PDB file of all heavy atoms in Angstrom:
ATOM      1  N   TYR A  35     -18.699  11.728  25.170  1.00 97.00           N
ATOM      2  CA  TYR A  35     -19.349  10.709  24.339  1.00 97.00           C
ATOM      3  C   TYR A  35     -20.283   9.857  25.177  1.00 97.00           C
ATOM      4  O   TYR A  35     -20.077   9.707  26.391  1.00 97.00           O
ATOM      5  CB  TYR A  35     -18.305   9.779  23.704  1.00 97.00           C
ATOM      6  CG  TYR A  35     -17.438  10.407  22.643  1.00 97.00           C
ATOM      7  CD1 TYR A  35     -16.292  11.152  22.973  1.00 97.00           C
ATOM      8  CD2 TYR A  35     -17.716  10.232  21.284  1.00 97.00           C
ATOM      9  CE1 TYR A  35     -15.503  11.713  22.022  1.00 97.00           C
ATOM     10  CE2 TYR A  35     -16.917  10.801  20.307  1.00 97.00           C
ATOM     11  CZ  TYR A  35     -15.804  11.529  20.668  1.00 97.00           C
ATOM     12  OH  TYR A  35     -14.993  12.073  19.704  1.00 97.00           O
ATOM     13  N   GLN A  37     -21.958   5.870  25.060  1.00 96.00           N
ATOM     14  CA  GLN A  37     -21.927   4.561  24.404  1.00 96.00           C
ATOM     15  C   GLN A  37     -23.030   3.687  25.024  1.00 96.00           C
ATOM     16  O   GLN A  37     -22.918   3.196  26.146  1.00 96.00           O
ATOM     17  CB  GLN A  37     -20.574   3.876  24.543  1.00 96.00           C
ATOM     18  CG  GLN A  37     -20.460   2.599  23.741  1.00 96.00           C
ATOM     19  CD  GLN A  37     -19.024   2.093  23.664  1.00 96.00           C
ATOM     20  OE1 GLN A  37     -18.220   2.327  24.577  1.00 96.00           O
ATOM     21  NE2 GLN A  37     -18.690   1.398  22.590  1.00 96.00           N
ATOM     22  N   SER A  42     -21.806   1.696  19.256  1.00 93.00           N
ATOM     23  CA  SER A  42     -20.587   2.498  19.103  1.00 93.00           C
ATOM     24  C   SER A  42     -20.682   3.763  19.925  1.00 93.00           C
ATOM     25  O   SER A  42     -21.729   4.002  20.602  1.00 93.00           O
ATOM     26  CB  SER A  42     -20.406   2.820  17.603  1.00 93.00           C
ATOM     27  OG  SER A  42     -19.241   3.555  17.411  1.00 93.00           O
ATOM     28  N   GLU A  58     -24.049  18.213  19.701  1.00 94.00           N
ATOM     29  CA  GLU A  58     -24.374  17.523  18.445  1.00 94.00           C
ATOM     30  C   GLU A  58     -25.879  17.384  18.325  1.00 94.00           C
ATOM     31  O   GLU A  58     -26.628  17.535  19.312  1.00 94.00           O
ATOM     32  CB  GLU A  58     -23.731  16.141  18.446  1.00 94.00           C
ATOM     33  CG  GLU A  58     -22.178  16.194  18.470  1.00 94.00           C
ATOM     34  CD  GLU A  58     -21.608  16.865  17.246  1.00 94.00           C
ATOM     35  OE1 GLU A  58     -21.927  16.456  16.121  1.00 94.00           O
ATOM     36  OE2 GLU A  58     -20.798  17.795  17.431  1.00 94.00           O
ATOM     37  N   GLU A  96      -8.142  16.239  23.450  1.00 90.00           N
ATOM     38  CA  GLU A  96      -7.197  16.306  22.348  1.00 90.00           C
ATOM     39  C   GLU A  96      -5.888  16.871  22.923  1.00 90.00           C
ATOM     40  O   GLU A  96      -5.857  17.902  23.546  1.00 90.00           O
ATOM     41  CB  GLU A  96      -7.713  17.255  21.290  1.00 90.00           C
ATOM     42  CG  GLU A  96      -6.802  17.271  20.071  1.00 90.00           C
ATOM     43  CD  GLU A  96      -7.595  17.154  18.812  1.00 90.00           C
ATOM     44  OE1 GLU A  96      -8.577  16.402  18.751  1.00 90.00           O
ATOM     45  OE2 GLU A  96      -7.235  17.837  17.873  1.00 90.00           O
ATOM     46  N   GLU A 100      -3.393  13.981  19.194  1.00 84.00           N
ATOM     47  CA  GLU A 100      -4.007  12.686  19.421  1.00 84.00           C
ATOM     48  C   GLU A 100      -5.174  12.874  20.379  1.00 84.00           C
ATOM     49  O   GLU A 100      -5.192  13.840  21.165  1.00 84.00           O
ATOM     50  CB  GLU A 100      -3.013  11.689  20.013  1.00 84.00           C
ATOM     51  CG  GLU A 100      -1.955  11.225  19.047  1.00 84.00           C
ATOM     52  CD  GLU A 100      -1.101  10.142  19.640  1.00 84.00           C
ATOM     53  OE1 GLU A 100      -1.536   9.454  20.563  1.00 84.00           O
ATOM     54  OE2 GLU A 100       0.045   9.970  19.163  1.00 84.00           O
ATOM     55  N   GLN A 101      -6.150  11.990  20.263  1.00 88.00           N
ATOM     56  CA  GLN A 101      -7.301  12.083  21.167  1.00 88.00           C
ATOM     57  C   GLN A 101      -7.229  10.920  22.162  1.00 88.00           C
ATOM     58  O   GLN A 101      -7.076   9.771  21.761  1.00 88.00           O
ATOM     59  CB  GLN A 101      -8.608  12.045  20.385  1.00 88.00           C
ATOM     60  CG  GLN A 101      -9.762  12.620  21.191  1.00 88.00           C
ATOM     61  CD  GLN A 101     -10.947  13.020  20.303  1.00 88.00           C
ATOM     62  OE1 GLN A 101     -11.962  12.367  20.324  1.00 88.00           O
ATOM     63  NE2 GLN A 101     -10.809  14.058  19.517  1.00 88.00           N
TER      64      GLN A 101
ATOM     65  N   TYR B  36      -8.680   3.664  15.720  1.00 96.00           N
ATOM     66  CA  TYR B  36      -8.755   3.469  17.168  1.00 96.00           C
ATOM     67  C   TYR B  36      -9.232   2.050  17.435  1.00 96.00           C
ATOM     68  O   TYR B  36      -9.893   1.425  16.578  1.00 96.00           O
ATOM     69  CB  TYR B  36      -9.714   4.466  17.816  1.00 96.00           C
ATOM     70  CG  TYR B  36      -9.193   5.854  17.993  1.00 96.00           C
ATOM     71  CD1 TYR B  36      -9.116   6.724  16.913  1.00 96.00           C
ATOM     72  CD2 TYR B  36      -8.767   6.301  19.212  1.00 96.00           C
ATOM     73  CE1 TYR B  36      -8.567   7.988  17.062  1.00 96.00           C
ATOM     74  CE2 TYR B  36      -8.242   7.594  19.389  1.00 96.00           C
ATOM     75  CZ  TYR B  36      -8.171   8.426  18.302  1.00 96.00           C
ATOM     76  OH  TYR B  36      -7.659   9.680  18.445  1.00 96.00           O
ATOM     77  N   GLN B  38     -11.117  -0.395  20.727  1.00 96.00           N
ATOM     78  CA  GLN B  38     -11.734  -0.388  22.045  1.00 96.00           C
ATOM     79  C   GLN B  38     -11.789  -1.827  22.533  1.00 96.00           C
ATOM     80  O   GLN B  38     -12.517  -2.657  22.001  1.00 96.00           O
ATOM     81  CB  GLN B  38     -13.145   0.217  21.995  1.00 96.00           C
ATOM     82  CG  GLN B  38     -13.772   0.365  23.387  1.00 96.00           C
ATOM     83  CD  GLN B  38     -15.080   1.064  23.342  1.00 96.00           C
ATOM     84  OE1 GLN B  38     -15.816   1.014  22.346  1.00 96.00           O
ATOM     85  NE2 GLN B  38     -15.448   1.744  24.430  1.00 96.00           N
ATOM     86  N   HIS B  94      -5.808  17.469  12.232  1.00 65.00           N
ATOM     87  CA  HIS B  94      -5.443  16.712  13.412  1.00 65.00           C
ATOM     88  C   HIS B  94      -6.281  17.043  14.632  1.00 65.00           C
ATOM     89  O   HIS B  94      -6.099  16.469  15.683  1.00 65.00           O
ATOM     90  CB  HIS B  94      -3.981  17.016  13.775  1.00 65.00           C
ATOM     91  CG  HIS B  94      -2.998  16.464  12.787  1.00 65.00           C
ATOM     92  ND1 HIS B  94      -2.821  15.142  12.560  1.00 65.00           N
ATOM     93  CD2 HIS B  94      -2.158  17.098  11.928  1.00 65.00           C
ATOM     94  CE1 HIS B  94      -1.887  14.950  11.637  1.00 65.00           C
ATOM     95  NE2 HIS B  94      -1.476  16.121  11.238  1.00 65.00           N
ATOM     96  N   THR B  95      -7.186  17.979  14.478  1.00 69.00           N
ATOM     97  CA  THR B  95      -7.948  18.394  15.641  1.00 69.00           C
ATOM     98  C   THR B  95      -9.434  18.250  15.400  1.00 69.00           C
ATOM     99  O   THR B  95      -9.876  18.109  14.260  1.00 69.00           O
ATOM    100  CB  THR B  95      -7.651  19.888  15.981  1.00 69.00           C
ATOM    101  OG1 THR B  95      -8.104  20.687  14.922  1.00 69.00           O
ATOM    102  CG2 THR B  95      -6.154  20.093  16.210  1.00 69.00           C
ATOM    103  N   LYS B  97     -13.488  16.891  16.564  1.00 83.00           N
ATOM    104  CA  LYS B  97     -14.224  15.729  17.001  1.00 83.00           C
ATOM    105  C   LYS B  97     -13.994  14.495  16.149  1.00 83.00           C
ATOM    106  O   LYS B  97     -13.685  14.578  14.972  1.00 83.00           O
ATOM    107  CB  LYS B  97     -15.731  16.051  17.012  1.00 83.00           C
ATOM    108  CG  LYS B  97     -16.286  16.471  15.645  1.00 83.00           C
ATOM    109  CD  LYS B  97     -17.709  16.998  15.764  1.00 83.00           C
ATOM    110  CE  LYS B  97     -18.213  17.444  14.404  1.00 83.00           C
ATOM    111  NZ  LYS B  97     -19.602  18.048  14.509  1.00 83.00           N
ATOM    112  N   LEU B  98     -14.192  13.342  16.764  1.00 88.00           N
ATOM    113  CA  LEU B  98     -14.146  12.058  16.079  1.00 88.00           C
ATOM    114  C   LEU B  98     -15.550  11.515  15.968  1.00 88.00           C
ATOM    115  O   LEU B  98     -16.261  11.455  16.957  1.00 88.00           O
ATOM    116  CB  LEU B  98     -13.256  11.073  16.826  1.00 88.00           C
ATOM    117  CG  LEU B  98     -11.754  11.376  16.933  1.00 88.00           C
ATOM    118  CD1 LEU B  98     -11.100  10.403  17.906  1.00 88.00           C
ATOM    119  CD2 LEU B  98     -11.109  11.322  15.587  1.00 88.00           C
ATOM    120  N   GLY B 101     -18.015   5.129  13.603  1.00 89.00           N
ATOM    121  CA  GLY B 101     -18.982   4.236  12.983  1.00 89.00           C
ATOM    122  C   GLY B 101     -19.137   3.011  13.854  1.00 89.00           C
ATOM    123  O   GLY B 101     -18.866   3.047  15.052  1.00 89.00           O
TER     124      GLY B 101
END
Side-chain angles (χ1 to χ4, degrees):
Chain A
Y35 291 82
Q37 187 169 28
S42 181
E58 296 297 307
E96 185 133 321
E100 289 186 23
Q101 200 162 109
Chain B
Y36 282 77
Q38 186 175 27
H94 292 294
T95 64
K97 59 189 179 184
L98 294 172

